């Protein structure tokens, strides 16, 4: 199949109005304008047309002209192909948001991760995504949407792939941090990129459809985790030091959406609006003509001709800079000056967002983003942790307590599970080839005992006396003996690494919770997409947040795992409309030269709110549920009321 987006594709001769006549009557010795063969208007013709329009006083501004061109190009095959490619990039971001949570129960045992280190991993991943959103959002306004998205997906793919094989925790954290820095920039770029190929009456609906791919990422991650991680036999080992368990295979499978998106983006063109903002008229004109021809050919009207001959392009400081620097200094000096200038331009873009005309509405938008992210991500942590706590309470209620038992010359050849042994005496006993799970020995005596081939989980010895005892090929380490007194005790061939029990560490309920939560977004997403352009962004955002705040009170009635799952699904189904509206209004509110920068800052604030909420909401698990619910309620009400102060943008031409 021919590639409709290749820059060297030949096109049929256009009408005389669209062809350049700048070379008519020229001498054979004169240099031929190469754009004539592709129907690109000659630069001299463009300048003359501009002067004529300025003299007549009827020059159309770039935003208005661009909107007219997009309406002429229509909405068709090209936009749907771009929709699929960018959707896969958004899906990759959604998958990354679930990966760490799904692999952590296995990874913390496989790599002997302590609770403090486990919290550090989650924190660093969110921090890296926040930094990535800020950096790549600003860069995409200066070096291009397509180019930045290629960089983002490549960084994510490379470091995520390497993290599948990292055996040490420190290296694993570093690789996940780098991966998060890459994929963290995908959301600002994707929405900015897609917006600039949509006409005004299509933006709200189709940007909302695009949001569905983040939900599909959650479904993909939870479904594949459910199907892969619990299967211990799907891994393999190379020697004793290099082991690939099934949770690493799951991480590898999670690379597929990003890989597919990267391949697709390579064949997509740059945003013509970005090119026009940077005075690259010819490239923008060719891309717009390809969009036009692709859409109308697919609609059965290949005879329709792209009649635009001139598009307004502002002169930028960057153009002047390039002209000055192109023939001066060494290559390294030019490269250094260009990069420093680009950094200055990015910072100037950031500072320009505080201009009076953008300051107040920008502040309102920041408040709404923060409130929405705080409540959504906070409850996103609270739901699964609450279910785990309920499971733990139920498990603890079934604990068996043994008090002052005396066991002598007995062979324990059966597993010990969920037990507490207090002030017991074990004389000449043998514990061989068994699993000890959730067992605590308190103030007990072990004398002349023998432990062999023991696998333990959440097992501890506290204030015990251990005499003349041998531990052979066990994973009972020193930290599992708290305030114990040992006399003539020997540890032979202790097991390296941590015991990984896939059946116990991968409760399918957690995967089911994430799967149902992602699936519940579907109806809310469909409804918001259908009504985004009919009732407006502001009503969608404000109404969704206020209704979501009411839904949080139902969480006070959650006294079982089933109730928590039910209210979680309801909350996600209602709140997704607010997310859709926020993402649509964020790209419509800011001018094209600042769109990626502004969205990157807003997305960075979203990640910052998620970090704060994760710590606050997790701290109250097992203590009280009133405070987390109250905090979520207040945030949603405040955000919903502030959202009603935002300007409506459904009939706004992209500035």
């Amino acid at each position: 199949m021919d590639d409709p987006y290749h820059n060297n594709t030949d096109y049929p001769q256009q009408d005389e109005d669209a062809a350049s006549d700048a070379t008519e009557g020229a001498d054979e010795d004169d240099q031929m304008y190469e754009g004539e063969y592709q129907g690109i208007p000659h630069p001299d013709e463009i300048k003359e047309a501009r002067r004529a329009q300025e003299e007549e006083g009827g020059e159309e501004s770039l935003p208005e002209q661009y909107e007219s061109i997009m309406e002429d190009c229509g909405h068709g095959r090209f936009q749907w192909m771009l929709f699929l490619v960018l959707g896969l990039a958004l899906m990759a971001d959604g998958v990354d948001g679930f990966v760490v949570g799904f692999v952590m129960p296995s990874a913390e045992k496989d790599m002997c991760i302590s609770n403090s280190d486990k919290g550090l991993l989650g924190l660093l991943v969110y921090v890296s995504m926040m930094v990535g959103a800020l950096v790549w959002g600003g860069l995409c306004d200066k070096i291009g949407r397509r180019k930045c998205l290629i960089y983002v997906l490549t960084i994510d793919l490379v470091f995520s792939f390497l993290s599948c094989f990292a055996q040490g925790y420190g290296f694993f954290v570093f690789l996940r941090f780098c991966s998060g820095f890459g994929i963290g920039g995908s959301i600002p770029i994707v929405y900015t990129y897609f917006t600039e190929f949509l006409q005004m009456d299509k933006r709200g609906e189709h940007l909302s459809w695009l949001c569905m791919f983040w939900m599909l990422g959650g479904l993909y991650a939870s479904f594949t985790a459910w199907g892969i991680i619990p299967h211990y036999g799907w891994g393999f080992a190379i020697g004793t030091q290099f082991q690939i368990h099934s949770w690493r295979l799951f991480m590898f499978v999670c690379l597929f959406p990003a890989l597919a998106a990267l391949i697709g983006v390579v064949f997509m063109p740059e945003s013509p609006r970005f090119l026009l903002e940077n005075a690259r008229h010819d490239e923008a004109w060719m891309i717009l003509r390809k969009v036009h021809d692709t859409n109308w050919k697919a609609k059965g009207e290949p005879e329709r001709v792209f009649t635009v001959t001139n598009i307004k392009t502002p002169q930028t400081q960057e153009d002047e800079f390039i002209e000055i620097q192109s023939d001066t200094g060494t290559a390294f000096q030019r490269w250094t000056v260009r990069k420093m200038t680009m950094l200055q331009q990015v910072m100037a873009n950031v500072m320009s967002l505080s201009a009076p005309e953008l300051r107040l509405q920008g502040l309102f938008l920041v408040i709404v983003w923060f409130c929405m992210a705080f409540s959504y991500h906070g409850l996103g942590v609270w739901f699964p942790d609450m279910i785990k706590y309920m499971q733990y309470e139920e498990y603890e209620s079934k604990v068996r307590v043994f008090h002052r038992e005396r066991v002598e010359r007995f062979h324990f050849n059966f597993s010990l599970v969920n037990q507490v042994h207090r002030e017991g005496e074990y004389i000449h006993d043998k514990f061989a080839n068994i699993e000890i799970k959730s067992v605590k020995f308190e103030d007990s005596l072990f004398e002349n005992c023998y432990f062999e081939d023991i696998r333990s989980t959440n097992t501890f010895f506290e204030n015990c006396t251990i005499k003349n005892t041998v531990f052979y090929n066990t994973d009972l380490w020193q930290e599992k003996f708290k305030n114990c007194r040992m006399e003539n005790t020997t540890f032979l061939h202790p097991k390296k690494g941590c015991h990984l029990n896939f059946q116990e560490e991968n409760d399918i309920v957690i995967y089911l919770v994430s799967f149902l939560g992602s699936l519940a977004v579907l109806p809310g997403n469909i409804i918001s997409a259908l009504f985004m352009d009919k009732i407006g962004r502001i009503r969608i955002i404000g109404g969704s947040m206020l209704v979501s705040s009411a839904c949080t009170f139902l969480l006070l009635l959650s006294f079982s795992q089933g109730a928590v799952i039910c209210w979680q699904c309801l909350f996600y189904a209602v709140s997704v409309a607010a997310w859709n509206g926020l993402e649509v209004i964020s790209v419509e509110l800011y001018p094209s030269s600042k769109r990626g920068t502004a969205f990157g800052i807003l997305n960075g604030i979203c990640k910052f709110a998620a970090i704060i909420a994760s710590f606050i909401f997790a701290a109250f698990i097992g203590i009280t549920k009133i405070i987390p619910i109250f905090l979520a309620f207040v945030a949603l009400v405040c955000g919903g009321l502030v959202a009603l102060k935002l300007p409506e943008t459904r009939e706004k031409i992209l500035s």
Side-chain angles (χ1 to χ4, degrees), residues 179-190:
S179 169
F181 172 74
I183 201 64
S186 62
I187 291 181
I189 300 171
V190 162

Side-chain angles (χ1 to χ4, degrees), residues 142-356:
K142 290 303 170 186
I143 65 177
R145 287 58 161 129
R146 174 182 174 272
K147 184 182 292 186
C148 276
L149 190 55
I150 290 175
Y151 290 158
V152 160
L153 294 171
T154 301
I155 292 172
D156 177 53
L157 275 170
V158 170
F159 289 102
S160 294
F161 177 76
L162 293 176
S163 70
C164 298
F165 304 97
Q167 299 295 305
Y169 177 67
F171 196 39
F172 181 76
V173 169
F174 170 75
L175 294 173
R176 294 309 306 180
F177 181 89
C178 294
S179 169
F181 172 74
I183 201 64
S186 62
I187 291 181
I189 300 171
V190 162
Y191 283 102
T192 301
Y193 194 5
F194 193 49
T195 299
E196 293 172 350
F197 280 100
L198 297 173
Q199 58 202 68
M200 183 174 61
D201 60 344
K202 299 287 185 180
R203 282 200 309 262
E205 179 183 352
H206 289 273
L207 286 172
S208 298
W209 291 128
L210 188 65
C211 296
M212 292 180 63
F213 278 92
W214 203 94
M215 174 268 296
L216 293 177
L219 290 175
Y220 178 83
S222 54
F223 186 76
T224 52
W226 189 353
I228 294 175
I229 296 180
H231 296 279
Y232 179 84
W234 288 12
F236 63 91
I238 302 176
T240 58
Q241 300 298 323
F242 191 82
Q243 298 186 5
I244 302 297
H245 292 304
S246 56
W247 65 271
R248 298 179 185 272
L249 178 61
F250 160 71
M251 291 178 62
F252 178 78
V253 172
C254 286
L255 299 177
F256 293 166
L259 178 61
L262 178 60
I263 295 172
V265 172
V266 169
F267 294 98
M268 290 291 113
E270 180 56 85
S271 163
R273 184 60 183 269
F274 166 79
L275 295 174
L276 291 171
E277 293 287 344
N278 288 271
R280 293 159 65 179
H281 173 275
D282 289 359
E283 295 175 66
W285 190 91
M286 288 186 64
I287 292 170
L288 288 169
R289 192 178 78 168
K290 291 172 186 177
V291 174
H292 175 279
D293 293 348
T294 300
N295 287 341
W296 289 110
K297 183 178 179 180
K299 294 177 181 179
E301 299 183 42
E303 69 280 357
R304 291 193 59 157
V305 176
F306 186 60
T307 58
V308 176
T309 58
N310 171 53
I311 308 175
K312 178 180 174 62
T313 52
Q315 178 75 7
T316 65
Q317 294 178 353
E318 187 175 0
D319 299 326
E320 298 169 358
F321 163 76
I322 291 174
E323 291 173 3
I324 293 171
Q325 292 294 324
S326 59
D327 296 320
T328 59
T330 65
F332 178 75
Q333 288 174 330
R334 290 197 299 271
W335 181 88
T336 302
V337 173
R338 288 174 190 272
K339 297 307 176 187
M340 291 303 298
T341 302
M342 182 178 68
L343 178 61
Q344 292 172 4
Q345 290 171 345
V346 170
M347 294 306 299
N349 242 8
V350 173
M351 299 304 296
S352 67
L353 294 175
S354 61

